[in-house]
Amino acid sequence: MLKRRKRSILAGSALLAWAAFAPAVMAERIGDAERGAEIYRKCAACHMVGAQAKNRIGPHLNGIFGRKAAALDGFRYSDAMRRAGADGLIWELDKLDAYLENPKALVTGTRMSFAGIRSLDDRHDVLAYLRTFSDKPRDIPEASPTAVAHEVALAPEVLAMAGDRDYGEYLSSECLTCHRKDGSDRGIPAITGWRNEDFVVAMHAYRQKLRPHPVMQMMAGRLSDEEIAALAAYFAALE
Amino acid sequence: MTLNRRDFVTTTIGLAASLAAPMVMAAGKPRVVVIGGGAGGATAARHLAEASKGALDVTLVEPTRKYYTCFFSNLYLGGFQEFAALGHTYGKLAADFGVNVVHDWAVGIDRDAKTVSLAGGGTLPYDRLILSPGIDFVDGAVPGWDITAQNAMPHAYKAGSQTQLLKAQIEAMPAGGVYAMIAPPNPFRCPPGPYERISMVAHRLKQINPTAKILIVDPKEKFSKQALFEDGWMRHYGGMVERVGPDFGAANTSVDPAAMTVDIDGEVTKVDVCNVIPAQKAGRICETAGITDGNWVPVNPHTMQARADENIHVLGDASAQGDMPKSGFSANSQAKVAVMAVRGALTDSRVFPAKYSNTCWSLLGTDDGVKVGAAYEATDEKIASVESFISQTGEDAALRKQTYEESLGWYAGITADMFG
């Protein structure tokens, strides 16, 4: 246990180092399913698992691994989740991990009002637990090569970066070809009035190709940390 | 409210006394004239006026009072868009952003005096000129066809009455008749455009005239999104579409508008509709201004300034800039770089490195949308593609539907960006 605690603390600071050490941990197994069952209690109020599981406030999570986002019949997903599913978001290990870490980073506009689980270990333990509710848990890779290549959490200095609004205004002109400045959604989601942090993590998630949309992956892919901060500052301030 | 030219002159003189110009301009506020109110010009005029907050005098010269977008005009042919929905007016540019909108033809540019002359007789002085005139057709590109034949054989490649005419002709085809398209050689406006049009014509004919045939006479070996289009034609309109490429003499094609025949390398075919999309060149005002090289205007990739004249920025289809396709999206993207450059030159606003992007959506059939796009950066030689993507064949129906809905969102977005 002591070892685990220490690892958690390490994990906390390793978020800053983009989880550089994590591959070795993941290669062994996803995490501790028993401990995950404990942590899952906070999820269980909305998400059922197991033989009697059905959709409640959230969809049931049996067989979640490898399933397309928003794919269960009979559950009313948010528009944002349905869009992510159509764009090609598949609940693979790394996507689930990113979603658990910060739901909004992966799917802005998700109905899951959950702050996220900061601890890498805790997330992996929950995922190990969820994995036991898959049809063929054996077929799920213990750690796919991409499983820990990404980390949504950003270094505090990246998150805290003060954006250059003038630069953001210029850069935004590219966004506004498709996204409407008045914040309406006519087939392309609104991006005005987001919290600064939500905007920044979302753009980084596109840049890392965690979020599925090819246009956005391309647009975000060539933005620097400073440019993302500049855009966030501009859009956050739009009326 | 649209200011007429006389009002504009009065206003300029009136304001000149009261407003300090950010740069030394003896005659008052720096003047920017924009020629052409499409995806490049309307975007440029709107953003120049909006961002400079009155520090620049912005005049937009556009002959038509209602502008019909070329993009999405194919969807009208297919029955997916109302014609009226393609039309946009300039009222908000004038009322909300203070652009002086002049409905006239620009017929001459005096680069030494820095003035634009108008068909109506007026003259507009400028400190910077933005040219976004779109395309004209190369004379003699399709033997037998010239612009006087456009009623018998419409091009419908400048949206408006030509688009309506083509749709009427398609809908009046006899049962089992032939629609022929003479496709243009590269480079031309909207690379997927002719092929999206084929999809839309096929969609309409399948509804009203299912035994009709579509013949594409194409001088090019290959075309944009070819695999996606051919897959879509097979799935939706199997057997209806035939394409004759250069291997079968398509590059040696002439037409006879009186007889309604197409002659492909000596083989004459009678057709019912003939949609001739000729080879293209920059709008002729560019030639008049003496800034073209061949058919297009070479530009500085960092600023969109004409290589031949740094006081003139050339946007969109008319420019030769490198890797970007000639599209409304590209013109809109280029306009923003030009706006930044012009504001930097004429006011004290900051200048940032140019960034460009483009995405072209095409509709293959009901709820079956695809897209292709790229991001670009400026090098000294050209606007260079740095990353790209394209839809894949075999994508599921949900994604294709979403791509179509996304294109509707883009249309709403770009037209709001252009016209306010």
Side-chain angles (χ1 to χ4, degrees):
Chain A
M1 233 36 222
L2 185 64
K3 195 178 165 206
R4 172 173 290 285
R5 287 271 160 262
K6 199 170 169 193
R7 221 171 68 189
S8 296
I9 295 161
L10 252 180
S13 56
L15 293 178
L16 320 181
W18 298 75
F21 81 109
V25 177
M26 291 289 289
E28 296 165 17
R29 53 179 189 161
I30 301 177
D32 178 344
E34 274 181 42
R35 189 166 169 277
E38 297 292 313
I39 301 167
Y40 186 79
R41 284 182 188 168
K42 65 175 100 173
C43 317
C46 301
H47 293 284
M48 293 180 76
V49 286
Q52 307 301 319
K54 45 183 193 271
N55 296 331
R56 293 210 301 211
I57 295 171
H60 76 74
L61 298 179
N62 290 342
I64 183 71
F65 282 85
R67 191 161 75 205
K68 197 172 176 180
L72 285 184
D73 289 337
F75 183 77
R76 217 180 123 253
Y77 293 94
S78 63
D79 288 348
M81 189 60 81
R82 275 191 278 123
R83 193 168 341 231
D87 280 343
L89 178 61
I90 307 285
W91 290 123
E92 289 153 346
L93 195 58
D94 60 334
K95 309 299 191 306
L96 281 169
D97 185 51
Y99 191 62
L100 274 184
E101 184 184 3
N102 181 354
K104 282 185 185 167
L106 201 65
V107 185
T108 312
T110 176
R111 279 211 199 95
M112 185 163 97
S113 53
F114 179 63
I117 300 175
R118 301 300 279 184
S119 155
L120 185 78
D121 277 344
D122 288 359
R123 294 199 304 272
H124 289 169
D125 291 347
V126 169
L127 290 171
Y129 174 66
L130 280 178
R131 189 171 168 279
T132 65
F133 296 98
S134 295
D135 294 340
K136 294 177 186 161
R138 251 173 236 280
D139 296 343
I140 298 169
E142 284 288 347
S144 65
T146 58
V148 286
H150 309 290
E151 191 71 47
V152 172
L154 298 170
E157 58 268 31
V158 174
L159 268 181
M161 206 174 260
D164 175 342
R165 267 201 83 236
D166 285 354
Y167 192 22
E169 182 173 10
Y170 165 64
L171 293 169
S172 78
S173 67
E174 200 159 39
C175 315
L176 294 173
T177 300
C178 298
H179 298 278
R180 291 167 63 89
K181 200 174 182 176
D182 65 10
S184 62
D185 176 348
R186 305 267 295 265
I188 288 181
I191 53 169
T192 53
W194 289 17
R195 289 195 316 140
N196 201 313
E197 181 177 331
D198 292 348
F199 192 99
V200 172
V201 293
M203 293 301 282
H204 280 272
Y206 279 122
R207 201 171 73 176
Q208 297 167 37
K209 301 199 190 303
L210 271 174
R211 284 188 174 224
H213 198 273
V215 179
M216 286 309 304
Q217 288 180 354
M218 181 182 81
M219 300 306 282
R222 61 179 179 152
L223 294 174
S224 65
D225 293 350
E226 289 76 11
E227 288 171 332
I228 289 175
L231 278 169
Y234 175 74
F235 279 114
L238 267 191
E239 296 279 302
Chain B
M1 180 197 68
T2 304
L3 292 174
N4 66 30
R5 194 151 28 83
R6 190 166 299 124
D7 286 339
F8 150 56
V9 172
T10 327
T11 317
T12 312
I13 294 167
L15 287 176
S18 60
L19 279 183
M23 253 185 65
V24 187
M25 281 290 164
K29 289 199 282 185
R31 295 155 303 193
V32 183
V33 174
V34 181
I35 296 178
T43 304
R46 179 252 168 99
H47 287 280
L48 271 172
E50 186 178 23
S52 65
K53 299 182 177 69
L56 294 174
D57 244 321
V58 181
T59 301
L60 175 65
V61 182
E62 161 62 40
T64 64
R65 289 178 184 274
K66 192 168 229 181
Y67 178 85
Y68 290 92
T69 58
C70 249
F71 44 94
F72 270 40
S73 64
N74 286 329
L75 273 60
Y76 159 71
L77 296 176
F80 292 93
Q81 284 282 316
E82 293 296 320
F83 185 71
L86 303 175
H88 302 270
T89 57
Y90 297 92
K92 283 189 177 171
L93 291 191
D96 295 357
F97 305 110
V99 175
N100 308 298
V101 181
V102 176
H103 291 297
D104 204 340
W105 277 96
V107 291
I109 294 168
D110 183 334
R111 285 163 49 197
D112 295 325
K114 295 207 278 184
T115 57
V116 174
S117 52
L118 303 172
T123 300
L124 297 171
Y126 64 82
D127 295 295
R128 283 291 168 110
L129 176 63
I130 295 180
L131 276 182
S132 192
I135 53 158
D136 270 303
F137 299 121
V138 173
D139 292 337
V142 178
W145 191 93
D146 64 27
I147 202 72
T148 63
Q150 68 174 350
N151 287 338
M153 293 187 169
H155 53 80
Y157 229 60
K158 297 177 184 183
S161 57
Q162 274 278 300
T163 323
Q164 289 177 299
L165 175 65
L166 181 62
K167 185 171 165 80
Q169 291 184 355
I170 290 163
E171 293 181 349
M173 277 168 59
V178 177
Y179 161 97
M181 170 190 283
I182 315 297
N186 291 322
F188 62 97
R189 160 179 286 182
C190 189
Y195 310 97
E196 181 187 57
R197 176 170 297 177
I198 293 298
S199 312
M200 293 295 94
V201 171
H203 177 82
R204 188 73 186 118
L205 287 174
K206 192 178 169 188
Q207 290 172 336
I208 59 170
N209 191 349
T211 56
K213 295 287 177 198
I214 292 177
L215 174 65
I216 312 169
V217 184
D218 201 335
K220 302 181 294 299
E221 293 284 351
K222 52 193 170 90
F223 58 89
S224 172
K225 300 183 196 164
Q226 184 161 355
L228 291 165
F229 280 116
E230 288 176 346
D231 172 66
W233 297 340
M234 193 69 81
R235 283 186 293 110
H236 296 296
Y237 322 111
M240 189 181 257
V241 181
E242 184 196 353
R243 176 169 172 268
V244 175
D247 292 355
F248 295 89
N252 182 25
T253 297
S254 63
V255 296
D256 182 340
M260 284 304 286
T261 55
V262 178
D263 180 332
I264 306 168
D265 209 18
E267 194 183 323
V268 178
T269 307
K270 177 91 173 70
V271 301
D272 298 289
V273 176
C274 191
N275 180 192
V276 177
I277 308 174
Q280 295 158 27
K281 60 181 183 180
R284 74 174 53 82
I285 187 76
C286 298
E287 233 171 307
T288 311
I291 54 175
T292 50
D293 179 5
N295 286 335
W296 312 101
V297 185
V299 294
N300 176 339
H302 299 285
T303 58
M304 301 304 293
Q305 283 163 299
R307 296 275 193 197
D309 189 333
E310 63 176 17
N311 295 315
I312 303 178
H313 299 249
V314 182
L315 307 179
D317 298 350
S319 65
Q321 32 67 23
D323 295 347
M324 295 183 81
K326 299 185 185 300
S327 73
F329 197 124
S330 293
N332 173 272
S333 174
Q334 293 160 9
K336 288 157 183 177
V337 169
V339 163
M340 176 184 61
V342 168
R343 289 182 62 218
L346 298 182
T347 74
D348 58 359
S349 83
R350 291 161 65 194
V351 173
F352 303 102
K355 273 193 198 300
Y356 302 95
S357 57
N358 175 67
T359 301
C360 291
W361 287 266
S362 301
L363 187 59
L364 305 177
T366 305
D367 288 336
D368 193 358
V370 292
K371 61 190 171 192
V372 60
Y376 304 85
E377 64 184 24
T379 68
D380 289 343
E381 292 74 39
K382 66 171 186 175
I383 296 180
S385 171
V386 289
E387 205 182 334
S388 66
F389 66 87
I390 184 165
S391 296
Q392 303 298 308
T393 52
E395 288 171 345
D396 66 27
L399 176 54
R400 288 295 177 86
K401 182 167 191 281
Q402 176 142 311
T403 301
Y404 171 57
E405 284 165 2
E406 188 179 278
S407 75
L408 300 176
W410 166 74
Y411 187 88
I414 192 172
T415 50
D417 196 43
M418 289 163 64
F419 299 104

